[in-house]
Amino acid sequence: MQARTLELYSQIGLAGAVVEKGRRVAAANLWVTGRNVARAVFGDMGAGISPFPYALIFPQDEHERLLVDRLAESGIQVERGTELLGFEDAAGSVLARLKRPNSAPETCEAAYIAGCDGAHSTVREALQIGFPGGVYDHLFYVADVEANGEAANGDLHVGLDTTDFLAVFPLKGDGRVRLVGTVREEAEHQRENLSWNDVSRRVMEWMHIHVDRVNWFSTYHVHHRVADRFRKGRAFLLGDAAHIHSPVGGQGMNTGIGDAVNLAWKLAAVLHGRATATLLDSYEPERIAFARRLVATTDRAFTSATSPGPIARRVRLDVVPLLFPRLVELTAVRRLMFRTISQTAVNYRESSLSEGQAGAVHGGDRLPWVGDNFAPLTSLDWQIHVYGDAAPRGKLPLHVFSWRPEMGRAGLRRNAVYLVRPDGYVALADPEGSATAVASYLNARKLTRRARLFARSREALAELRKLKTGKYR
């Protein structure tokens, strides 16, 4: 769980439960051919950047249960075992053909459909959207084990060797770790009926990690792909349906959650009449640009870490042990690493929703954290932030924060106006603190509260018509 995901979760009251159930990781260690060459402390790297200046390990199965339980508390049930047979975009809605267990197919009418259905997405295939990329040669495994030894000390450990790769992620509870590594080369061709006995042990041995019990084991191939499009008509692609890549940096799940947050607030605004459907046009360019950069970056890193080629081997066995320990001693490098891995540096500066610059903050940047300014984001609504003295007036919530020197160091400009989106990104940065600039921005993009009132009136009339015509069962 990266810091940016926890920030987004804090807006909906989930971060506390995730942090409580997860395990904070104090540091990451890099091993190369039997030597622990560097240790990077997370708390130091992210201090002052995020309220979550650490890495958090939270198993995905437990994470999923938490989300399902929270939905149930809101009266929403996840319908397991329901198969999507197909869908069509017709007459301003989506008609989806569904099949529940032990029942006949049925048709569901919806305003939109979001394909969050994984690498073999039915939605993506139905839309005939390409999924270019490739697959790495190595066969990898993931295993939850009980272990002891130097690399089972609660830190995160990554080991590099001539051809092998091993990552050790601590889980909550003493001695519980998740291992991600390579299957023995001679066993890769077997493909089927692979077991713990087929994993490569060399890196484990020189990292001094001893496995006492294997609780769960699986093998998989690592792909690197990005869909050609993330949207077609009323259908959207998110998560692994839109992009898959190597596990380097722990970015996959967090990127999928970022997709979901980006699309969700826009869908909510359109469906509740707070914006026109053109707002949805910003989803694909904002998220596909980041996905392409991420896949390209993780591909280069993963190739360097696992490729048997002479250049890649020279880099990881000779260059990395020489340079990496010196680089992580530099404060600027450590903070750059945190911003990159934590996804707090993700921005939408090129988006049609982004405008202006005030201080070092551009429209499209994540709102800098300065201690108390994230609390208003729990409203999940558009809002204006001023750091210093407030001038603008209008219908949007206005939050004024007394100026402190650290605000300037975070890139904010005194008395400027920052129009903040529901997802905590700056939409408009106006150095003059002008109410007119905010009004012009909202009007140009048809983001008005009047639209919401009109939509609610229209919905109420539609409900009355249904009652009169007897269309309710």
Side-chain angles (χ1 to χ4, degrees), residues 327 330-337:
L327 290 175
L330 303 175
T331 300
V333 172
R334 292 200 305 272
R335 294 178 74 77
L336 176 62
M337 288 172 59

Side-chain angles (χ1 to χ4, degrees), residues 6-304:
L6 291 171
E7 291 175 358
L8 294 169
Y9 271 18
S10 69
Q11 292 186 242
I12 56 174
L14 269 176
V18 171
V19 171
E20 180 183 356
K21 292 177 179 292
R23 176 163 187 162
R24 299 189 191 190
V25 181
N29 296 265
L30 179 65
W31 297 67
V32 179
T33 58
R35 294 182 297 120
N36 189 335
V37 299
R39 185 174 187 265
V41 178
F42 287 128
D44 180 37
M45 294 167 68
I49 297 174
S50 171
F52 307 98
Y54 47 80
L56 185 81
I57 303 296
F58 187 40
Q60 197 156 335
D61 54 340
E62 297 179 36
H63 187 175
E64 185 173 312
R65 284 196 295 272
L66 177 66
L67 295 178
V68 170
D69 290 345
R70 185 59 62 94
L71 286 172
E73 291 172 8
S74 301
I76 300 169
Q77 299 299 319
V78 176
E79 299 178 7
R80 296 292 189 191
T82 301
E83 180 185 2
L84 174 67
L85 301 176
F87 66 93
E88 57 183 283
D89 188 335
S93 64
V94 172
L95 296 177
R97 297 184 302 281
L98 306 176
K99 187 171 186 315
R100 304 170 190 265
N102 305 316
S103 66
E106 59 184 279
T107 299
C108 171
E109 183 177 5
Y112 299 95
I113 185 169
C116 312
D117 48 343
H120 302 287
S121 169
T122 300
V123 174
R124 189 187 64 245
E125 292 175 2
L127 295 171
Q128 297 183 328
I129 292 176
F131 202 34
V135 58
Y136 297 101
D137 292 333
H138 279 302
L139 185 65
F140 293 84
Y141 73 86
V142 57
D144 283 0
V145 305
E146 295 174 19
N148 64 82
E150 187 175 347
N153 64 347
D155 284 358
L156 191 154
H157 296 262
V158 175
L160 305 178
D161 202 355
T162 52
T163 57
D164 289 348
F165 164 88
L166 179 67
V168 182
F169 300 92
L171 303 179
K172 196 158 190 175
D174 293 338
R176 291 186 61 220
V177 298
R178 174 163 294 176
L179 303 178
V180 177
T182 49
V183 171
R184 288 186 297 111
E185 187 174 353
E186 55 270 28
E188 285 188 350
H189 307 292
Q190 183 178 331
R191 304 291 182 184
E192 298 179 358
N193 301 318
L194 293 173
S195 70
W196 176 250
N197 294 326
D198 296 303
V199 308
S200 179
R201 304 296 176 89
R202 186 169 65 251
V203 180
M204 265 186 275
E205 290 172 357
W206 52 246
M207 284 176 68
H208 311 297
I209 183 165
H210 310 288
V211 175
D212 302 315
R213 177 189 175 96
V214 179
N215 297 320
W216 179 78
F217 172 84
S218 181
T219 60
Y220 66 102
H221 275 289
V222 176
H223 291 248
H224 50 100
R225 302 180 185 277
V226 180
D228 288 330
R229 301 176 62 181
F230 284 12
R231 181 193 182 185
K232 190 173 183 180
R234 290 179 171 268
F236 301 86
L237 298 178
L238 298 83
D240 286 359
H243 45 76
I244 50 176
H245 47 84
S246 82
V248 168
Q251 302 294 299
M253 181 190 66
N254 295 274
T255 303
I257 292 171
D259 294 342
V261 171
N262 187 289
L263 180 60
W265 74 263
K266 295 172 183 176
L267 281 174
V270 172
L271 293 172
H272 290 287
R274 296 191 293 268
T276 65
T278 56
L279 177 65
L280 301 175
D281 296 339
S282 63
Y283 167 70
E284 179 182 295
E286 287 187 354
R287 296 307 295 175
I288 201 169
F290 172 58
R292 285 171 175 163
R293 290 195 302 271
L294 176 63
V295 171
T297 301
T298 57
D299 178 52
R300 288 194 294 269
F302 200 61
T303 299
S304 297

Side-chain angles (χ1 to χ4, degrees), residues 335-376:
R335 294 178 74 77
L336 176 62
M337 288 172 59
F338 179 83
R339 289 183 185 277
T340 302
I341 296 173
S342 69
Q343 298 198 358
T344 54
V346 173
N347 70 77
Y348 305 132
R349 290 186 180 182
E350 303 303 317
S351 171
S352 61
L353 297 182
S354 303
E355 184 178 317
Q357 178 182 355
V361 178
H362 294 248
D365 288 353
R366 158 189 167 271
L367 180 70
W369 176 67
V370 288
D372 55 353
N373 64 329
F374 274 21

